[in-house]
């Protein structure tokens, strides 16, 4: 905040204090009215769902639009599902899979993400696990790679399709489960596969051809970006295809149980890779299909990710009393990066300890659609510049090599 903003803020505070001293009731009424107006603006205008279009031909401006995909799509609580599209000035295309947690048993299903819960702040143990319906934050709150106003954003003129996530299943589930917790039944519609299929079908119909195509995702969506990038590459066979997976990776012996037994992804027929203990790594280098695709994979992680470390602890039932669960996750992440780096695929990584909080021993979770897109660095290079150099400039740039020593 610059000096003029500090002066302005001080003046407002002084005015409020004077009003409370001179006429407390009138000042309190005015503050309440302003607060109510601010809430109504944010709820009904700033974060209102964008206007609806059926096809790209109806999106004649460069604003966000809502696309409903039919009765086969739904959120985990059976509420409406939709994707968001924004027309760009170029022929290039971003297909972005949103994050939003996961649930797999009674405890996790009973703890959906809520605003009130988010305001309680950080704890070592997860208190919320997944979005059960579309959040109003999307797409208005998207920044970073989705920010058209940032003249430094190399992707600001790309067409952008944002695929939200509200099914708790890494975008691949195909089942309705009834979980039980404390005697209460929780019905969860793991409909990620149908939602993703409908979204991609819409993309293929409305963007039959494209220049460069980037399939990106963060957190849960980072896994989805790797899962679905081969399908996208098959459709856009004449385009250069990139896959950006941001904030991804958990090692667990439970992955096959989650994907096939709990979420019914039917992985053998729908995902095209062998599931072992790290399904992100597996999706890149343990493919079982015979198709050779020229996809450039980009992978980013902060080394002490404050979200993935806690999901890892919850999934694998690790203690969070000490920092060991964080350091274990970091060690697994570095080992995975090395194995993928040494595999026979096009792959570059961004690994960093930027923003490390020594008190909590944590770093930020994702970087792609928030303020850290331009702020976070590895080896002195910003995340946004790393993505640009790999995708726009077609360089091969990996950062954070010293962390793998």
């Amino acid at each position: 905040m610059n000096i003029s903003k500090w002066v302005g803020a001080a003046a407002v505070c002084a005015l409020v204090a004077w009003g409370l001293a001179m006429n407390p009731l009138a000042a309190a009424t005015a503050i309440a009215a302003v607060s109510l107006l601010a809430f109504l603006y944010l709820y009904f205008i700033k974060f209102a769902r964008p206007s609806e279009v059926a096809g790209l031909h109806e999106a004649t401006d460069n604003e966000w639009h809502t696309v409903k995909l039919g009765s086969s799509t739904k959120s985990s609580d059976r509420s409406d599902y939709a994707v968001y599209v924004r027309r760009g000035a170029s022929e290039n295309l971003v297909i972005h899979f949103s994050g939003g947690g996961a649930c797999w048993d009674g405890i996790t299903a009973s703890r959906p993400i809520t605003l009130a819960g988010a305001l309680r702040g950080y704890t070592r143990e997860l208190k919320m696990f997944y979005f059960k319906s579309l959040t109003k934050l999307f797409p208005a709150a998207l920044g970073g790679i989705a920010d058209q106003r940032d003249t430094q954003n190399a992707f600001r003129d790309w067409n952008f399709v944002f695929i939200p996530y509200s099914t708790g299943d890494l975008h691949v589930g195909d089942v309705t489960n009834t979980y039980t917790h404390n005697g209460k039944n929780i019905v969860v519609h793991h409909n990620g596969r149908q939602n993703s299929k409908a979204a991609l079908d819409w993309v293929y119909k409305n963007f039959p051809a494209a220049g460069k195509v980037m399939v990106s995702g963060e957190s849960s969506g980072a896994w989805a970006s790797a899962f679905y990038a081969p399908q996208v590459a098959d459709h856009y066979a004449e385009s250069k295809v990139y896959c950006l997976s941001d904030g991804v990776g958990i090692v667990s012996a439970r992955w096959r149980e989650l994907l096939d037994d709990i979420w019914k992804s039917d992985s053998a027929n729908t995902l095209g890779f062998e599931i072992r203990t790290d399904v992100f790594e597996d999706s890149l280098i343990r493919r079982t299909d015979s198709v050779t695709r020229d996809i450039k994979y980009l992978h980013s992680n902060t080394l002490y990710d404050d979200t993935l470390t806690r999901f890892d602890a919850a999934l694998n039932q690790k203690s969070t009393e000490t920092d060991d669960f964080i350091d274990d996750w970091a060690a697994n992440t570095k080992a995975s990066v090395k194995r993928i780096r040494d595999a026979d695929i096009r792959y570059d990584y961004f690994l960093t300890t930027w923003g490390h909080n020594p008190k909590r021993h944590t770093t930020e979770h994702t970087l792609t659609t928030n303020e850290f897109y331009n702020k976070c660095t590895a080896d002195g290079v910003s995340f946004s510049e790393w993505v640009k150099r790999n995708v726009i400039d077609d360089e091969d740039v990996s950062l954070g090599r010293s962390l793998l020593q």
Side-chain angles (χ1 to χ4, degrees):
M1 183 179 286
N2 59 36
I3 188 64
S4 63
K5 291 183 178 180
W6 278 112
V7 171
V12 170
C13 291
L15 184 61
V16 170
W18 177 82
L20 287 171
M22 297 300 295
N23 191 332
L25 180 60
T29 301
I31 292 172
V34 170
S35 299
L36 177 61
L37 288 173
F39 170 79
L40 292 174
Y41 167 77
L42 289 173
Y43 191 83
F44 290 105
I45 299 177
K46 174 66 174 176
F47 295 116
R49 180 173 289 187
S51 61
E52 186 176 340
V53 297
L56 187 66
H57 65 283
E58 297 179 20
T60 56
D61 54 25
N62 61 353
E63 302 296 324
W64 286 108
H65 294 278
T66 302
V67 179
K68 292 184 178 180
L69 300 171
S71 59
S72 68
T73 64
K74 55 179 171 281
S75 296
S76 67
D77 63 357
R78 210 172 182 178
S79 60
D80 289 345
Y81 180 82
V83 300
Y84 305 106
V85 61
R86 189 182 65 201
R87 182 187 284 275
S90 75
E91 295 181 351
N92 301 321
L93 172 64
V94 175
I95 303 170
H96 186 84
F97 287 89
S98 172
C103 67
W104 57 86
D105 57 20
I107 294 176
T108 57
S110 69
R111 298 178 180 177
I113 298 170
T114 64
L115 177 59
L119 293 176
R120 296 191 187 107
Y122 175 89
T123 63
R124 276 295 182 96
E125 293 185 3
L126 279 173
K127 300 298 182 183
M128 303 178 296
F129 285 86
Y130 70 109
F131 284 115
K132 65 179 183 179
S133 60
L134 295 184
T135 171
K136 273 187 168 289
L137 293 176
F138 296 142
L142 294 176
I145 203 169
D147 189 351
Q148 282 187 318
R149 296 169 296 179
D150 179 7
T151 58
Q152 301 303 309
N153 176 20
F155 300 88
R156 66 187 182 279
D157 65 345
W158 284 41
N159 296 285
F160 207 113
V161 178
F162 182 80
I163 302 177
Y165 173 57
S166 53
T167 51
D169 56 11
L170 303 192
H171 294 264
V172 297
D174 191 24
V175 66
T176 297
N177 286 340
T178 300
Y179 301 102
T180 302
H181 181 64
N182 289 339
K184 180 181 178 181
N185 290 336
I186 307 105
V187 177
V188 177
H189 298 272
H190 292 298
N191 202 57
R193 190 203 307 175
Q194 293 300 323
N195 292 355
S196 297
K197 180 182 184 303
L200 292 176
D201 285 347
W202 186 90
V203 170
Y204 301 153
K205 179 180 179 180
N206 286 271
F207 296 94
K212 292 184 175 183
V213 178
M214 182 162 69
V215 185
S216 58
E218 51 199 334
S219 194
S220 301
W223 275 279
S225 68
F227 296 164
Y228 289 108
Q231 298 179 27
V232 174
D234 288 344
H235 181 82
Y236 294 106
E238 303 301 317
S239 301
K240 288 186 176 181
V241 177
Y242 308 79
C243 177
L244 170 62
S245 302
D246 174 30
V248 65
I250 290 176
V251 172
S252 177
R254 300 187 62 190
W255 277 122
R256 183 175 294 279
E257 172 196 356
L258 263 63
L259 267 68
D260 284 344
D261 298 340
I262 297 175
W263 296 333
K264 304 297 183 185
S265 73
D266 189 20
S267 64
N269 295 312
T270 61
L271 297 182
F273 61 87
E274 178 188 358
I275 296 175
R276 293 192 182 180
T277 59
D278 183 339
V279 289
F280 173 68
E281 177 184 325
D282 298 338
S283 68
L284 269 59
I285 65 176
R286 306 195 197 286
R287 299 209 62 82
T288 57
D289 50 24
S290 59
V291 179
T292 300
R293 305 175 179 90
D294 187 19
I295 301 172
K296 181 170 184 177
Y297 288 98
L298 301 174
H299 172 198
S300 57
N301 274 114
T302 68
L303 196 52
Y304 307 108
D305 186 311
D306 69 352
T307 298
L308 290 181
T309 51
R310 290 184 288 162
F311 266 98
D312 182 11
L315 179 60
N316 293 310
Q317 299 180 333
K318 296 179 180 178
S319 169
T320 58
E321 292 298 316
T322 70
D323 289 343
D324 288 350
F325 77 104
I326 298 174
D327 291 327
D328 286 348
W329 181 87
N332 285 333
T333 296
K334 291 190 288 185
S336 180
V337 170
K338 289 180 181 178
R339 287 190 295 268
I340 302 172
R341 176 199 64 189
D342 295 338
D344 187 24
I345 63 171
R346 296 182 65 202
Y347 170 79
D348 282 290
Y349 59 86
F350 180 99
L351 191 62
T352 183
T353 59
W354 180 88
H356 180 245
N357 182 325
K359 183 177 180 180
R360 298 189 338 199
H361 192 34
T362 60
T363 48
E364 301 297 338
H365 177 32
T366 61
L367 311 171
T368 305
T369 60
N370 56 43
E371 62 181 308
F372 305 118
Y373 177 68
N374 290 317
K375 292 181 179 179
C376 182
T377 61
D379 297 339
V381 179
S382 69
F383 177 72
S384 59
E385 178 66 15
W386 172 75
V387 179
K388 173 185 176 294
R389 288 173 63 182
N390 276 284
V391 178
I392 302 295
D393 301 333
D394 280 314
E395 298 181 30
D396 293 319
V397 182
S398 287
L399 301 174
R401 286 185 170 90
S402 63
L403 298 174
L404 300 180
Q405 304 303 316

